[in-house]
Amino acid sequence: MPAPAGSPVRQVRPRRPPCGRTSRPPPRTWQHGGVTAATPFPSFPSAAGGPDDPADAVLQGLDPEQREVATTLRGPVCVLAGAGTGKTRAITHRIAYGVRSGQLAPASVLAVTFTNRAAGEMRGRLRSLGAGGVQARTFHSAALRQLQYFWPRAIGGELPRLVERKVQLVAEAGARCGIRLDRSELRDATGEIEWAKVTQTVPADYPAAARKAGREAPRDPAEIAQLYGMYEQLKRDRALIDFEDVLLLTVGILQDRHDIAEQVRSQYQHFVVDEYQDVSPLQQRLLELWLGDRDSLCVVGDASQTIYSFTGATPDHLLDFRRRYPHATVVKLVRDYRSTPQVVHLANGLLAQASGRAADHRLELVSQREPGPDPVYAEYADEPAEAEGTAARIRDLIAAGVPAGEIAVLFRINAQSEVYEQALADAGVPYQLRGAERFFERAEVQRALLALRGAARSAGNDPLLDDVVELGAQVRAVLGSTGWNPEPPAGSGAVREQWESLAALVRLAEDFARARPGATLAHLAVELEERRAAQHAPTVQGVTLASLHAAKGLEWDAVFLVGLTDGMLPITYAKTDEQVEEERRLLYVGVTRARHHLTLSWALSRSPGGRPSRGPSRFLNGLRPGSGARASRPGGGGGAGVERGPARGRARRGPVRCRVCGRTLTEAGEMKLMRCEDCPSAMDEGLYERLRAWRGVQAGRQGLPAYCVFTDKTLMAIAEAAPGEAGELAVIPGVGGRKLDRYGADVLAICAGREPAGGDGADA
């Protein structure tokens, strides 16, 4: 172990092994927990030059504020970094400069952030800068490593198993208490338990703490407290811990065992915390225990991006930093390298209307990019029309050369995604749901990783790689043996999605080779394994559908912010001033995800023919054209006005009602069927199966997923209506003019019991 805390740290440059010999593996230490750490590449020159180059090479390309962050290595440092201002660049170059100048020993630095993806990105950047020995982890990952190492010594025995599915255990606790919870209540109750634990609230204190914090509990607070207590009891009975326990137990051990706390502090002497506005009280307590009485701490954050208060996050630790450390160096990063002046102006305008403590510390961003198009404001009659209009705009952007993977549709809640999935499918646009199947769990990716590992093991004995030297070319050769082709397939379906997954691996290999000249397949295999463990996936080409919360930390060339109505943003249950202001910050985060194109839209009613009782979000007042005068601004116009989306061709004058029971329909799937899901169906099962068979042939011919021809719901609606002419088919939701022209003759032929023109009907 390193010298005890308080001993002088001997500053040395990392020693290279003799030429032709590999470095001796580091000894097993508690911070690795017996698990291989992020692998340094000492033989690779970094992007800024080799480790023997002057440390100042790391500072090249930094702006004055970023350079100040990078060179201020002692004492407390607070970096207030606006969206798109290069905060990750600043702090990774700071660490690398400290390591390469000999002022920071790599093993003495711990950088923490909040997602595996962000930690993986940070590790990658540090390696490319010659600081691969630095630990970059999430709070939970760092705490878990410590807990695994010290548990036998502090508690004895093996560390309890982690709960795999917390919701299931909460449901069982509810059953034990006689508390019946529906699906949404179960999810919300689980969230309340998580909040209580990160705020260090015990079950008995939950009702009072929830009232004080203004929590909207899904059930009576006394019932939640009872549920919470039973959940904890079940975990104790089964020797289980959850992710919140990882932090709580680590805090407990460090508080009670001073010898262990000193051992940790002697190892880690310098700390960097990213996204500091998202720190919970429990995470802050853990950080304080890591630090002890030292102040070698650099925190980075933006109070205007605090959007996770429901999990216990609070910007108070960031805003109070100067109070805790009066001698701290404070650096503001306001040069926005991500977004055009037009996007930045809108973002600044949103915050100019904000109130509260976070608003008092807002940063006025200054775009460093060339001017771009004004944000587009679009109003639609109803939600399906909004989704179809959004899909049409996306199709136009893709036709104009914007990659699908550089486009995102962002909404307030996940339940809004269905109508956009449907609209994009109908438009033939590939998409991916953020939070759906993980990249490294896809079958084609797993096969590719297996092939790459095999090729790496065989080294020079693989005939596939004869005379192939460049790493990217080697990867293309290996993936070619699994059926991959450098040319993308036609269409945008499952075959294209699989191709895009493998193309993402090729792009990653090419980027890896550029960052580390001389890297081999073996090095790439290690990198891919680390990314798989951290779920740090490369970019896949498909329009991203995501909630505003899930979009934090990401960016795209074009962003569509949809469903911006009062009641959705701010959401209905945001009642206090603090809650409403957090909703405003959520919109700010959405706006600042866009680099170039930004569209903001809303629908006046939920369903076709519904009463237009809704209006655009109050957060857009004074910003969208026609909503009130604002002071003129430099560098961008105010837009030509709010666009009115065309009425949907199949819109009806009255509400859409179930044709069986007469109930007003509101769900997209039910509106397609023109009946409630649970109402009796008169569908011709034989016709439905013939339509499905025909659809499969069409999808295969075009390289499309089946839903891009017609969704199951649309086929069911056709099979129920059995249309006899084009007019009857056209009014079925999900058909539309384009698909009527393309598929109408075939569908009508199948409905009439005839073979379609292409001969791919009943017996296909």
Side-chain angles (χ1 to χ4, degrees):
M1 292 298 296
S7 301
V9 178
R10 189 162 58 99
Q11 308 294 350
V12 295
R13 290 181 181 273
R15 189 181 305 168
R16 279 186 165 185
C19 182
R21 293 177 56 188
T22 58
S23 300
R24 184 174 299 173
R28 173 189 165 96
T29 54
W30 65 264
Q31 74 270 24
H32 295 110
V35 179
T36 303
T39 306
F41 296 92
S43 61
F44 300 170
S46 74
D52 292 332
D53 289 349
D56 284 353
V58 175
L59 305 178
Q60 294 176 5
L62 300 182
D63 67 32
E65 295 80 22
Q66 292 171 344
R67 190 182 182 96
E68 184 180 359
V69 173
T71 55
T72 307
L73 296 173
R74 295 297 176 183
V77 178
C78 179
V79 183
L80 301 176
T85 57
K87 66 180 177 64
T88 305
R89 178 179 175 83
I91 58 177
T92 51
H93 282 246
R94 177 184 189 269
I95 295 169
Y97 178 73
V99 169
R100 290 174 57 158
S101 65
Q103 298 181 63
L104 300 178
S108 72
V109 181
L110 176 61
V112 289
T113 186
F114 283 82
T115 66
N116 286 324
R117 184 183 185 280
E121 180 184 353
M122 193 179 293
R123 285 194 295 270
R125 292 201 194 191
L126 288 170
R127 282 200 302 268
S128 72
L129 293 168
V134 172
Q135 294 287 303
R137 303 198 177 279
T138 64
F139 269 102
H140 283 92
S141 173
L144 183 58
R145 302 275 171 153
Q146 296 175 26
L147 201 58
Q148 289 169 332
Y149 187 86
F150 288 115
W151 185 269
R153 173 174 154 193
I155 308 298
E158 292 187 359
L159 181 70
R161 288 185 300 112
L162 277 168
V163 173
E164 291 184 3
R165 296 201 62 190
K166 186 182 297 181
V167 168
Q168 288 184 344
L169 201 61
V170 174
E172 184 176 345
R176 294 281 187 98
C177 296
I179 301 172
R180 300 185 61 179
L181 301 166
D182 62 29
R183 183 180 300 178
S184 62
E185 288 178 325
L186 184 58
R187 182 192 64 237
D188 292 344
T190 302
E192 287 303 294
I193 291 173
E194 291 172 349
W195 172 82
K197 297 186 75 166
V198 300
T199 55
Q200 303 174 77
T201 302
V202 298
D205 294 340
Y206 170 80
R211 280 193 297 272
K212 183 178 180 180
R215 303 287 294 183
E216 290 276 346
R219 300 288 289 263
D220 183 273
E223 287 186 314
I224 298 295
Q226 184 184 6
L227 185 70
Y228 177 15
M230 180 55 69
Y231 168 79
E232 292 296 310
Q233 183 63 52
L234 288 174
K235 286 200 290 97
R236 286 192 294 271
D237 292 346
R238 298 173 188 180
L240 297 172
I241 58 174
D242 59 26
F243 273 106
E244 290 72 40
D245 291 327
V246 169
L247 299 181
L248 284 164
L249 291 168
T250 306
V251 165
I253 288 175
L254 295 179
Q255 285 181 158
D256 295 343
R257 292 290 300 268
H258 297 292
D259 58 328
I260 292 176
E262 286 306 311
Q263 191 173 348
V264 173
R265 291 168 191 156
S266 69
Q267 174 65 48
Y268 289 134
Q269 297 163 13
H270 311 282
F271 297 85
V272 177
V273 184
D274 193 14
E275 303 288 3
Y276 194 53
Q277 77 279 350
D278 291 333
V279 166
S280 70
L282 181 56
Q283 289 164 333
Q284 175 65 22
R285 180 59 185 145
L286 178 59
L287 178 62
E288 290 167 355
L289 288 166
W290 284 339
L291 271 168
D293 58 2
R294 300 164 301 174
D295 63 359
S296 187
L297 170 65
C298 175
V299 301
V300 189
D302 179 8
S304 296
Q305 296 188 68
T306 305
I307 59 173
Y308 296 109
S309 68
F310 60 92
T311 68
T314 171
D316 289 347
H317 305 300
L318 175 67
L319 300 178
D320 290 339
F321 194 82
R322 283 289 293 272
R323 188 178 304 166
R324 295 200 308 278
Y325 300 102
H327 59 297
T329 299
V330 178
V331 184
K332 294 183 179 181
L333 302 183
V334 297
R335 301 173 196 252
D336 189 313
Y337 297 96
R338 175 188 299 161
S339 305
T340 63
Q342 287 75 11
V343 173
V344 167
H345 174 76
L346 176 56
N348 286 337
L350 274 171
L351 292 189
Q353 300 179 1
S355 61
R357 192 176 183 211
D360 292 340
H361 294 80
R362 64 180 176 270
L363 299 169
E364 185 85 8
L365 300 179
V366 181
S367 176
Q368 305 298 297
R369 294 192 56 183
E370 292 296 318
D374 283 310
V376 173
Y377 298 85
E379 181 177 281
Y380 294 90
D382 52 69
E383 289 183 2
E386 183 182 8
E388 290 177 4
T390 300
R393 289 176 183 273
I394 289 173
R395 195 169 60 235
D396 291 343
L397 282 175
I398 293 173
V402 180
E406 287 295 344
I407 303 174
V409 178
L410 307 181
F411 32 74
R412 175 61 179 84
I413 59 174
N414 287 319
Q416 293 172 273
S417 75
E418 182 185 0
V419 68
Y420 291 92
E421 294 175 57
Q422 179 70 60
L424 290 172
D426 288 345
V429 175
Y431 67 85
Q432 56 176 334
L433 264 175
R434 183 157 180 81
E437 182 187 29
R438 294 182 173 184
F439 178 85
F440 289 103
E441 293 172 1
R442 298 174 187 174
E444 67 271 16
V445 173
Q446 292 179 346
R447 288 193 297 269
L449 295 182
L450 187 63
L452 289 170
R453 284 196 295 268
R457 284 194 298 270
S458 63
N461 299 320
D462 192 333
L464 274 173
L465 305 180
D466 287 349
D467 303 321
V468 182
V469 178
E470 192 265 324
L471 180 58
Q474 290 179 336
V475 172
R476 288 191 291 272
V478 172
L479 297 186
S481 70
T482 68
W484 183 75
N485 191 297
E487 290 299 318
S492 56
V495 174
R496 178 61 182 254
E497 290 172 0
Q498 293 169 9
W499 184 90
E500 291 287 4
S501 295
L502 300 181
L505 290 176
V506 173
R507 289 192 298 271
L508 183 108
E510 292 169 345
D511 292 343
F512 186 75
R514 278 193 294 272
R516 302 168 182 79
T520 66
L521 272 176
H523 297 124
L524 178 64
V526 172
E527 170 75 8
L528 290 171
E529 177 56 29
E530 291 178 358
R531 281 175 167 264
R532 186 201 62 76
Q535 289 301 325
H536 182 198
T539 302
V540 177
Q541 293 301 316
V543 174
T544 298
L545 296 176
S547 70
L548 287 163
H549 283 101
K552 179 74 166 61
L554 303 175
E555 59 187 77
W556 296 268
D557 282 346
V559 169
F560 291 80
L561 301 176
V562 300
L564 301 182
T565 60
D566 250 16
M568 185 56 72
L569 197 73
I571 203 156
T572 306
Y573 53 74
K575 304 208 183 294
T576 67
D577 290 343
E578 292 82 2
Q579 291 167 340
V580 170
E581 286 306 314
E582 181 155 336
E583 294 287 298
R584 188 192 307 274
R585 294 194 295 270
L586 194 56
L587 180 56
Y588 172 79
V589 166
V591 167
T592 55
R593 299 310 95 194
R595 299 191 192 104
H596 194 72
H597 302 280
L598 177 63
T599 299
L600 306 94
S601 64
W602 58 91
L604 299 179
S605 68
R606 181 172 185 182
S607 56
R611 187 166 61 89
S613 58
R614 304 192 301 191
S617 170
R618 72 189 75 164
F619 298 147
L620 300 181
N621 290 344
L623 299 173
R624 60 185 174 84
S627 63
R630 286 184 56 80
S632 61
R633 61 180 164 100
V642 177
E643 296 185 8
R644 265 58 178 185
R648 301 171 78 230
R650 58 179 177 269
R652 295 166 176 79
R653 293 186 177 180
V656 181
R657 299 187 184 280
C658 174
R659 51 191 165 80
V660 179
C661 70
R663 183 179 70 85
T664 299
L665 302 177
T666 58
E667 299 299 327
E670 292 183 335
M671 287 191 284
K672 272 193 178 298
L673 293 175
M674 293 293 293
R675 64 171 174 82
C676 304
E677 288 276 7
D678 52 358
C679 277
S681 169
M683 183 177 70
D684 182 333
E685 295 284 352
L687 174 57
Y688 177 65
E689 292 303 323
R690 292 194 298 275
L691 288 167
R692 279 176 56 87
W694 165 84
R695 180 184 66 174
V697 172
Q698 291 292 329
R701 283 178 173 174
Q702 300 170 58
L704 296 170
Y707 63 72
C708 284
V709 179
F710 285 119
T711 64
D712 286 346
K713 285 288 197 305
T714 299
L715 290 188
M716 291 173 66
I718 293 171
E720 290 185 0
E725 58 183 35
E728 295 174 354
L729 178 59
V731 299
I732 294 175
V735 177
R738 186 172 62 88
K739 292 192 176 183
L740 181 65
D741 293 341
R742 186 166 193 175
Y743 305 123
D746 280 5
V747 171
L748 291 172
I750 295 170
C751 289
R754 302 191 305 270
E755 287 288 324
D760 301 315
D763 58 8

